[in-house]
Amino acid sequence: MKYPKTMKSENYLSLDFYQNLGKLFYAIASADGHVHEAELITIKEMVKKDWLSFTYTKDHPTNDEVHQIIVTFDRLHSAGNSNGNLLFNDFVTFKNTQSHLFTKKIKELILKTAIHISESFSGKNKSELMLLAKLNIELNKV
């Protein structure tokens, strides 16, 4: 999906931002070919605990916008979407075209959430470690 380099509506950016996080977190959870119950629980807990209390713009996003992380994750899970590479690449495309949204704190929270998801079911496996490494590289690109 193509994203314009500039968008006028903060609400649209927020919604799109959180939907892309849902794609990313689903890609991490499904890296081993299966999304486990523990990963579903972890994403919901992380959204409640960390993302709802985190403000990345001067205006607080609404709960509905932040919950798009879970809505998107659940939608992909219900559809049985198994193309984690495509979802990861969608996130990277969004990040590259909307880089102004990705502050240091946002990047840290994204990585923290991704790590918690990957650790939630019997630790990190090789496929998750590789995807986490790719994510770390992407988030640290200048």
Side-chain angles (χ1 to χ4, degrees):
M1 176 176 217
K2 300 260 184 196
Y3 298 96
K5 290 217 181 241
T6 58
M7 295 182 201
K8 302 275 183 202
S9 168
E10 280 188 39
N11 288 338
Y12 179 74
L13 282 175
S14 297
L15 181 65
D16 212 28
F17 175 80
Y18 289 115
Q19 288 171 337
N20 275 279
L21 286 180
K23 289 179 183 181
L24 170 67
F25 297 146
Y26 185 81
I28 299 291
S30 67
D32 63 357
H34 184 72
V35 176
H36 302 276
E37 185 67 26
E39 293 165 322
L40 290 166
I41 292 167
T42 298
I43 187 67
K44 290 175 183 177
E45 288 174 352
M46 294 291 296
V47 167
K48 274 196 271 186
K49 183 179 135 222
D50 294 327
W51 287 97
L52 282 174
S53 63
F54 187 79
T55 303
Y56 77 96
T57 63
K58 62 183 175 183
D59 300 318
H60 293 279
T62 67
N63 288 347
D64 288 342
E65 290 168 338
V66 177
H67 280 289
Q68 285 301 309
I69 296 171
I70 295 171
V71 169
T72 302
F73 190 102
D74 284 343
R75 181 179 46 81
L76 292 167
H77 183 59
S78 295
N81 190 317
S82 60
N83 196 338
N85 286 330
L86 179 62
L87 296 171
F88 182 84
N89 291 336
D90 282 352
F91 170 78
V92 170
T93 299
F94 179 80
K95 180 198 73 73
N96 290 339
T97 57
Q98 301 298 322
S99 59
H100 63 281
L101 296 174
F102 292 84
T103 65
K104 183 178 182 204
K105 287 183 178 188
I106 284 284
K107 292 180 202 178
E108 288 170 355
L109 187 53
I110 290 170
L111 201 52
K112 175 184 174 184
T113 305
I115 289 169
H116 276 77
I117 292 167
S118 69
E119 290 176 339
S120 64
F121 182 77
S122 66
K124 294 177 219 145
N125 63 43
K126 186 178 179 181
S127 53
E128 290 170 336
L129 283 171
M130 290 173 53
L131 200 52
L132 286 172
K134 281 176 58 175
L135 175 60
N136 192 34
I137 290 166
E138 281 299 328
L139 292 176
N140 287 309
K141 283 184 179 177
V142 176

